Amino acid sequence: MNALVTLPVLLPLLGAALSIAVGRSRLMQRIVGVATLVVMSGLTVALLGRIDEDGIAVTHVGGWTAPVGITLVADRFAVMLLLVSVLTMLAVLVYAIGEPGAEQTHVGFHPLYLILAAGVALSFLTGDLFNLFVAFEVMLMASYALLTLGGRPDQVRSGMTYVAIGLIASTLFLLALAFVYASTGTVNLADLHGKIAQLPPGIRSALAVSLVVVFGIKSAVFPLFFWLPDSYPTAAAPVTAVFAGLLTKIGVYAMIRSQTLLFPPDTWPRELLLVIAGLTMVIGVLGAVAQTDIRRLLSFHIVSQIGYMVMGLGLFTVAGLAAAAFFIVHQIVVKTSLFLVAGLIELRLGSDRLDKLSGLGRIEPVLGALFLLAAFSLAGLPPLSGFVGKLALVDAGFGAGSYAIVGVSLAVSLLTLFSMTKIWSNAFWGPPMSVDVAVGATQIPDLASRRAMLAATGTLVALSLAIALWAGPLYQLAERAAHDLLDPASYLTAVLKR
Amino acid sequence: MKLRSLILDTTVRLVFDAALVLSLYLLFAGHNRPGGGFVGGLVASGALALRYLAGGLDDLFRTIPVRPWLLLAGGLALVVATALRPMFGGGAALDQQAFEWALPVLGTAKFTTATIFDAGVYLIVVGLVLMIFEGLGDDDTADSHSERVGEDRR
């Protein structure tokens, strides 16, 4: 049981060490990378099954019990997100192996990717605020390097933005941590729950807001989102896809965890979160409508969709949080698959500028079908997974009586659909592009690689369909997770053994 | 021929071994007193940096025959292995054990498995710094390399 909680963090680190050691052979690196992530997802499935039956699993690293030592906590919310993240990372790794790019030219790709996976697992499983900071740093270090692996000038430039924002967010996080520790004398999340409640209201709300700002930068909510559409689109397609799918959602995860577990409901006006959510949705989608590059357009959609998750948190009901959890699972899969489709388009036609593309539906019908499924799911058309997520959010909004945010979210859905049809009508409709233009400057990968990439993208789209198909059981799981979040008694007993 | 400063060369030769011994002392002292794998690794890297400044990459890699990325991988593997090991016995990850022996002449020697973890950190730091030096290269890599290879043959 203990092992199941710790292994998702340690295994990818061991994989990274192996991957560096076999750096001479790309084939060995690939075997190590894929095997590590396969074993990791198997372990996470086992962990999810176990904790859904027996309740929260806790391990105290080094045998030092909480609140002194570092605690890893696996509850339903963390592990369901971890599982979908690991599966997504596995699919993206297969895609990256096929793509002529960073994975093939740089020996560092596989170790960095596995270290990123370790950081992702640690940030979901940690039960300690300082350890969350460490996990963020591990992810940042790996992502700085992954973002600039290509070494192109524009990649380095946008990498600089990303590094600067990362450093500012880390510094703010460290300051917030210092405030938390100075006022309570602990950084263990479960221990903080009781100690923060005893603080004077002013200090409490200051701590809450400073953590919201830190995680707001990470998750790119309005008005802290500006760095994202600038830095994501330039990286290699698989790197952008995994960042877009995972990193911002981990910010949202941290926000939900800290706001539900650490701060009593009267700490600060939670309606403010709904305002932020609404603005994030609207500004993000308006930005997206104005774009002409597929990847930049999708990057603005990341921002817009984050608004929906924050809305679920802002409602602060079991239904709202369950909907948010379900929506994050859906977004991780769908957003990643859309970026992979964008990568495939660019590889096939040498560009992802909408004004240059035409007739892709005739040239690549399979790609067209994959894009259509993922895009409609993002826009929330029934019966796809986005529809289920948005329906749950709208339902929760009505349940909480927040009609304004429900109205905003529906209007933004329409605009999302509009910008998806913009990609569809520009890139996929129309007369097929001439082959000369189509070849472009990019390398054409061989058939096996193209099949691997297409299969990886197809698997992710199939996963999003599966989410829609098994929406019932998944939503019930999300509801149980939301119950745990709003009533942390079981979390506290599990960690503190009281 | 690359200009080598006699003063720098001699000083580095005098300081190098002492610095390495100090770094090992810090590594082992780290359990109860100031020090540890990271600090020890940094001191060792400092010593290697002097070597690099005085003699360039060739001199550096004659000192350390192992490739830097192997040091890095070995260190990382050592760290993870110490984290994993207690779990086979049903303990928590990173759990540590202490051993004490009464040795003749030396008195009591205490060894904790945390030292192995620290040794891993030490290797990671040294490996990473060496990789940075390799990335920085020499100011005249090609020339000095061929010349020095020539010298060796003579």
Side-chain angles (χ1 to χ4, degrees):
Chain A
M1 197 63 189
N2 279 337
L4 273 182
V5 185
T6 336
L7 280 178
V9 182
L10 290 180
L11 205 64
L13 283 178
L14 190 65
L18 272 179
S19 192
I20 300 172
V22 298
R24 289 276 166 82
S25 152
R26 196 53 44 89
L27 180 68
M28 287 302 291
Q29 278 199 322
R30 286 172 181 173
I31 293 172
V32 168
V34 172
T36 307
L37 287 178
V38 166
V39 175
M40 218 177 137
S41 28
L43 288 171
T44 318
V45 170
L47 182 61
L48 184 61
R50 195 76 80 81
I51 58 161
D52 197 33
E53 265 173 35
D54 304 349
I56 295 167
V58 177
T59 183
H60 302 287
V61 174
W64 299 94
T65 48
V68 177
I70 295 170
T71 314
L72 295 182
V73 187
D75 69 345
R76 293 191 182 96
F77 184 48
V79 180
M80 69 188 275
L81 294 188
L82 176 63
L83 176 60
V84 71
S85 305
V86 176
L87 290 176
T88 310
M89 286 197 82
L90 179 60
V92 174
L93 185 63
V94 173
Y95 178 98
I97 288 172
E99 201 205 46
E103 194 271 342
Q104 293 178 5
T105 51
H106 207 289
V107 61
F109 180 88
H110 281 278
L112 287 168
Y113 196 80
L114 289 173
I115 287 173
L116 184 71
V120 169
L122 185 60
S123 38
F124 282 132
L125 293 176
T126 181
D128 176 303
L129 204 56
F130 190 81
N131 208 24
L132 182 65
F133 173 77
V134 174
F136 276 4
E137 288 302 301
V138 170
M139 283 195 295
L140 278 175
M141 289 303 159
S143 55
Y144 294 154
L146 282 173
L147 201 64
T148 48
L149 268 189
R152 293 203 319 266
D154 59 328
Q155 285 181 336
V156 175
R157 192 204 61 80
S158 53
M160 284 303 292
T161 316
Y162 188 74
V163 170
I165 286 295
L167 285 178
I168 291 171
S170 298
T171 314
L172 287 177
F173 195 177
L174 208 54
L175 279 175
L177 265 169
F179 294 150
V180 168
Y181 189 75
S183 50
T184 61
T186 180
V187 285
N188 183 287
L189 292 179
D191 201 24
L192 278 173
H193 172 84
K195 292 203 169 138
I196 283 183
Q198 294 163 9
L199 292 177
I203 297 181
R204 239 193 295 160
S205 44
L207 294 182
V209 172
S210 56
L211 283 181
V212 165
V213 170
V214 170
F215 300 138
I217 298 178
K218 298 273 174 211
S219 55
V221 297
F222 177 84
L224 305 165
F225 67 91
F226 53 88
W227 56 272
L228 189 145
D230 186 48
S231 55
Y232 276 15
T234 48
V239 174
T240 315
V242 80
F243 283 16
L246 291 180
L247 297 193
T248 46
K249 279 70 183 177
I250 290 170
V252 178
Y253 166 82
M255 199 186 280
I256 292 179
R257 176 69 76 199
S258 59
Q259 292 302 315
T260 53
L261 183 58
L262 298 189
F263 301 102
D266 61 336
T267 301
W268 65 300
R270 288 274 161 54
E271 292 75 33
L272 212 57
L273 274 177
L274 287 180
V275 176
I276 295 175
L279 284 170
T280 309
M281 287 180 206
V282 173
I283 304 285
V285 86
L286 288 182
V289 167
Q291 299 306 314
T292 52
D293 295 7
I294 296 181
R295 281 212 245 168
R296 273 187 71 85
L297 196 156
L298 291 175
S299 296
F300 272 99
H301 273 301
I302 302 175
V303 176
S304 173
Q305 306 291 328
I306 293 289
Y308 286 88
M309 302 164 199
V310 179
M311 167 184 165
L313 171 64
L315 293 173
F316 232 76
T317 57
V318 169
L321 284 169
F326 186 91
F327 198 76
I328 297 176
V329 170
H330 139 80
Q331 272 293 310
I332 289 177
V333 175
V334 166
K335 188 61 61 136
T336 311
S337 52
L338 273 174
F339 270 94
L340 291 186
V341 170
L344 282 171
I345 293 176
E346 192 171 350
L347 206 62
R348 183 75 178 82
L349 300 176
S351 167
D352 71 339
R353 291 185 56 83
L354 286 175
D355 48 356
K356 287 191 184 158
L357 301 175
S358 154
L360 197 57
R362 293 260 184 82
I363 307 174
E364 289 276 341
V366 181
L367 204 55
L370 290 180
F371 174 81
L372 206 61
L373 282 173
F376 279 179
S377 181
L378 185 80
L381 252 63
L384 300 164
S385 57
F387 170 74
V388 186
K390 283 183 180 169
L391 182 70
L393 276 171
V394 167
D395 196 40
F398 279 132
S402 314
Y403 299 107
I405 190 76
V406 170
V408 171
S409 73
L410 290 177
V412 168
S413 277
L414 269 183
L415 283 172
T416 309
L417 184 60
F418 167 69
S419 68
M420 286 296 133
T421 50
K422 188 173 149 185
I423 299 183
W424 177 256
S425 61
N426 271 304
F428 288 91
W429 269 350
M433 297 167 67
S434 66
V435 184
D436 298 344
V437 184
V439 172
T442 39
Q443 268 175 277
I444 304 293
D446 60 42
L447 192 64
S449 311
R450 295 201 39 216
R451 283 205 177 131
M453 290 192 299
L454 212 54
T457 317
T459 311
L460 274 184
V461 174
L463 191 59
S464 84
L465 292 180
I467 291 175
L469 214 55
W470 279 282
L474 189 61
Y475 186 76
Q476 280 159 11
L477 176 66
E479 220 164 20
R480 289 195 291 276
H483 265 294
D484 292 350
L485 284 175
L486 279 186
D487 177 24
S490 53
Y491 188 102
L492 300 181
T493 9
V495 176
L496 298 174
K497 301 251 161 44
R498 275 179 197 150
Chain B
M1 163 117 192
K2 191 182 169 187
L3 217 69
R4 296 182 66 153
S5 150
L6 182 66
I7 298 171
L8 184 63
D9 251 13
T10 321
T11 321
V12 167
R13 247 164 240 190
L14 286 174
V15 171
F16 185 73
D17 300 310
L20 280 189
V21 171
L22 176 66
S23 84
L24 285 179
Y25 166 76
L26 285 172
L27 168 66
F28 287 108
H31 191 61
N32 293 323
R33 273 163 293 166
F38 187 74
V39 180
L42 281 183
V43 172
S45 309
L48 291 167
L50 284 175
R51 208 78 211 211
Y52 171 66
L53 286 177
L57 276 185
D58 290 345
D59 208 21
L60 191 61
F61 287 123
R62 263 203 298 273
T63 322
I64 304 244
V66 190
R67 307 293 299 153
W69 46 268
L70 274 180
L71 283 180
L72 187 63
L76 195 54
L78 210 56
V79 164
V80 181
T82 17
L84 285 173
R85 190 203 50 84
M87 290 163 63
F88 290 109
L94 278 170
D95 214 350
Q96 50 165 312
Q97 280 173 298
F99 304 94
E100 274 192 29
W101 298 281
L103 294 177
V105 188
L106 292 170
T108 333
K110 188 181 170 197
F111 177 79
T112 62
T113 49
T115 311
I116 305 178
F117 182 88
D118 262 346
V121 176
Y122 183 99
L123 287 180
I124 292 178
V125 173
V126 172
L128 208 60
V129 170
L130 285 180
M131 280 178 93
I132 292 172
F133 290 150
E134 206 176 28
L136 291 173
D138 266 335
D139 35 349
D140 47 0
T141 312
D143 302 347
S144 65
H145 184 77
S146 53
E147 271 172 35
R148 226 162 289 154
V149 169
E151 277 171 18
D152 286 346
R153 281 190 191 134
R154 254 176 266 148

